[in-house]
Amino acid sequence: MFGNHAVTGLVKDTMADDPYKYQFGFGNHHATEAIPGALPANGTNLPQKARYGLYAEHLNGTSFISSRESVSNVWMYRERPGAPHRPLRQVQQHNEIETCFLPTNPNVSFTPQAHTWGPLPAPKTNASGRGGSTTFVRGLKTIGGYGDATLKEGLAVHQYAFDADMDRQAFVNHDGDLLLVPQQGVLDIKTELGNLRIKPGMISVLPAGIRFAISIVRLPSQSHNNHDNPAPHAAGYALEVFGTRFALPELGVLGANGLAHVRDFEYPVAAFDLEPPGTLPPFEVTVKLAGRLFAYAQPYTPFNVVAWHGRHAPFRYDLARFAHLSANTDQLDPTAYCVLTAPSKWPGVSVVEFCVFGEKWAVAGDTLRIPYYHRTMATELCGVIKGVYRGSVRPLEAGGMSFEQSYMPHGESYEAYAREREAEHEPVKVAQGFMSFMFHVPAHLGLTKWAMEDHPDIRPERAGLWDSFRGHLLDHIDDANASLSKAGMPTLQIHPLTPPESPSGTIVPEDDGEPGLGDVPMDEQ
């Protein structure tokens, strides 16, 4: 029997707005080569003489003694290795980046007060009067976090805004894996393992130890050489995790389908730059370690990997592909919209869940559809990627961020509650043209001094926000007393507080001759 044969695995081809190819499958052990035969054959990773004169280099993202399931490493075959470089030097301390969130750090405070921030503005222009002087590294600002990168436990939350490409520059994060959530500007990310392009509505994860450079994709009229059209700026969010890797949440009773599908995560194929010796300026590589920046120069590009295989690799995901869930009654917890999670050292507890909220059908009957009043041990940080935010408590638009500390009560305003309580509900598609996300952090989160004092757009809670709240039980006192009487229980009566002219009162059961909680004002119970 004869037939056609597949000669390669599925690779996503280039598109008009994306010149790169991609491999598929979250957490797969990928293998890719830019020149056929560059990967070693015969089951070896370290041949005595690699083909094409390449150097083998191993990057291990997990400890040597790790379960097969958790191992994350990559073998690279490159034109020259990463070891040869000039001496390291410490870059001037970047006070707007933090990775230590212990109470002993004077630049971090723990507060129960809710906070809201607007989007970061475009970077200030340089001395020539034009933009284009702030790269991704300089545009990264830490909002808060918990734990410590040196302890390999915890996370950091950042905003970023930049307007300059990383030209002959690279960045490598030794502190943890970095999840990027662009809100403005299309990012072109060159990594040692290949290239990624991500636009608002997508995310990308860049593993610790992988060198990369980020540029802004510009239209021809937005080039640096056009003085009448300054370079646009890119802005968004970043989530950094220490000592753990991002993983897909368990599906449990959902079965094989739902949430983010494994096949929709895209990884780069091998791509490299070939530079004749001595023809270009040295490359500067910036290293982030324990929140401090160091740099070294090397005479050639770090983006010279011709082939690689392994799991420790960058990837991207289009949030529009997320399979949202709906409930017929009540509401699902926010973690029902979890795209990625990061396991902690405690079994069954995560460092963070990354959740996305986009277009979905709301079908729940006899249910409040607005966010309900709740308290939780998790801290919630929310941001808007696109569209109009319709929450009633805080002013928040695309690029901004809100913060609710663990265990603090929160929910919508009384006016929003009153409208929703009387609303006529039919199945309806909600959040059309809107996308937001939540960093759901099961820990107390410390805010940086920069976020609390120096952020350019701090938005305090609106004065009198909660003053309009009213209780409704008094409106139904007759109905409540009828139910109590039917059950043979003491009915409720209103006794004025002292002094009598006070407009408020307290509700106590009728005196039945027995002491009990009914004799104590409600606010003292």
Side-chain angles (χ1 to χ4, degrees):
M1 181 178 292
F2 298 94
N4 293 327
H5 301 275
V7 296
T8 184
L10 180 64
V11 174
K12 183 175 182 178
D13 212 341
T14 60
M15 302 177 67
D17 61 347
D18 190 340
Y20 306 129
K21 295 184 177 183
Y22 300 91
Q23 309 171 83
F24 298 95
F26 183 88
N28 286 358
H29 188 111
H30 293 286
T32 173
E33 50 190 17
I35 301 176
L39 285 173
N42 305 320
T44 181
N45 291 317
L46 192 61
Q48 183 178 7
K49 185 181 291 186
R51 195 173 180 186
Y52 307 121
L54 300 176
Y55 291 86
E57 185 176 84
H58 185 225
L59 172 59
N60 206 344
T62 47
S63 62
F64 288 107
I65 303 177
S66 298
S67 66
R68 181 178 289 269
E69 179 184 11
S70 66
V71 163
S72 179
N73 67 333
V74 61
W75 279 97
M76 295 172 279
Y77 303 91
R78 56 196 316 152
E79 193 265 336
R80 276 183 280 189
H85 59 74
R86 306 279 169 77
L88 278 158
R89 69 185 190 281
Q90 185 169 346
V91 180
Q92 184 176 0
Q93 179 64 38
H94 192 346
N95 292 325
E96 293 160 356
I97 291 180
E98 291 286 350
T99 57
C100 174
F101 301 95
L102 303 180
T104 53
N105 184 350
N107 291 324
V108 172
S109 296
F110 288 83
T111 174
Q113 178 64 48
H115 280 67
T116 305
W117 302 272
L120 289 180
K124 294 180 180 179
T125 56
N126 58 24
S128 67
R130 301 198 309 273
S133 61
T134 301
T135 63
F136 169 78
V137 179
R138 298 303 303 178
L140 198 62
K141 319 289 184 183
T142 307
I143 293 292
Y146 85 90
D148 188 344
T150 65
L151 301 177
K152 298 291 185 180
E153 182 74 17
L155 58 84
V157 174
H158 315 276
Q159 286 182 298
Y160 69 80
F162 67 97
D163 61 355
D165 298 341
M166 296 175 66
D167 184 25
R168 304 295 293 175
Q169 300 174 65
F171 180 62
V172 57
N173 187 15
H174 291 191
D175 290 328
D177 288 11
L178 195 64
L179 184 155
L180 299 182
V181 187
Q183 181 274 316
Q184 177 175 329
V186 178
L187 304 184
D188 194 284
I189 307 176
K190 176 178 284 191
T191 82
E192 293 182 271
L193 305 188
N195 303 314
L196 300 164
R197 182 162 289 188
I198 59 172
K199 59 186 178 181
M202 291 181 169
I203 60 171
S204 177
V205 169
L206 303 168
I210 294 287
R211 291 177 285 186
F212 64 89
I214 300 182
S215 302
I216 305 172
V217 177
R218 296 176 174 86
L219 300 174
S221 63
Q222 297 173 325
S223 68
H224 283 296
N225 297 324
N226 190 322
H227 295 185
D228 297 326
N229 237 326
H233 82 284
Y237 313 87
L239 171 65
E240 184 180 10
V241 294
F242 311 138
T244 184
R245 307 292 314 285
F246 286 104
L248 294 178
E250 299 295 338
L251 290 176
V253 296
L254 293 179
N257 301 304
L259 307 183
H261 296 160
V262 171
R263 63 171 298 202
D264 288 332
F265 290 83
E266 299 172 332
Y267 290 72
V269 298
F272 67 98
D273 295 336
L274 186 61
E275 298 178 355
T279 59
L280 293 170
F283 239 89
E284 182 178 77
V285 179
T286 300
V287 178
K288 184 168 80 68
L289 175 65
R292 297 190 176 187
L293 300 182
F294 303 81
Y296 61 84
Q298 65 180 47
Y300 52 87
T301 175
F303 305 117
N304 60 7
V305 176
V306 179
W308 62 269
H309 74 88
R311 297 176 62 192
H312 195 76
F315 62 84
R316 73 174 190 176
Y317 175 73
D318 188 343
L319 296 173
R321 298 179 181 176
F322 185 77
H324 280 83
L325 306 178
S326 297
N328 291 336
T329 59
D330 292 337
Q331 290 189 30
L332 299 174
D333 288 334
T335 43
Y337 309 108
C338 181
V339 179
L340 293 170
T341 184
S344 75
K345 297 173 183 177
W346 301 90
V349 178
S350 63
V351 170
V352 63
E353 291 106 16
F354 171 68
C355 309
V356 63
F357 310 102
E359 292 187 5
K360 57 168 286 186
W361 282 95
V363 299
D366 192 22
T367 295
L368 287 171
R369 292 183 181 177
I370 62 172
Y372 50 89
Y373 303 107
H374 65 286
R375 292 174 288 172
T376 173
M377 59 83 69
T379 299
E380 300 176 3
L381 295 107
C382 298
V384 177
I385 298 172
K386 65 177 182 179
V388 178
Y389 176 73
R390 302 190 183 280
S392 61
V393 170
R394 57 182 57 87
L396 189 63
E397 71 264 31
M401 175 167 277
S402 67
F403 157 83
E404 294 280 0
Q405 186 66 277
S406 57
Y407 289 115
M408 283 300 293
H410 52 283
E412 292 296 325
S413 66
Y414 175 75
E415 290 76 13
Y417 168 82
R419 286 193 302 269
E420 172 65 12
R421 190 169 180 266
E422 303 301 325
E424 295 287 339
H425 282 161
E426 297 289 341
V428 63
K429 181 174 281 190
V430 298
Q432 297 188 63
F434 178 81
M435 182 178 288
S436 65
F437 69 88
M438 176 189 291
F439 298 149
H440 193 258
V441 184
H444 303 316
L445 191 129
L447 299 180
T448 62
K449 183 178 179 181
W450 178 85
M452 299 182 70
E453 299 178 9
D454 299 325
H455 191 290
D457 191 355
I458 300 174
R459 303 178 176 184
E461 188 171 274
R462 189 170 74 248
L465 171 64
W466 306 108
D467 291 353
S468 59
F469 254 93
R470 53 168 295 193
H472 292 278
L473 182 55
L474 289 176
D475 301 333
H476 301 272
I477 195 73
D478 292 340
D479 189 22
N481 279 335
S483 298
L484 289 167
S485 296
K486 185 176 180 179
M489 300 171 65
T491 58
L492 304 175
Q493 291 189 347
I494 302 176
H495 295 290
L497 292 178
T498 305
E501 60 270 16
S502 172
S504 58
T506 183
I507 302 174
V508 297
E510 286 185 338
D511 186 6
D512 57 4
E514 295 292 334
L517 288 178
D519 299 320
V520 182
M522 290 288 283
D523 59 353
E524 295 180 19
Q525 292 180 24

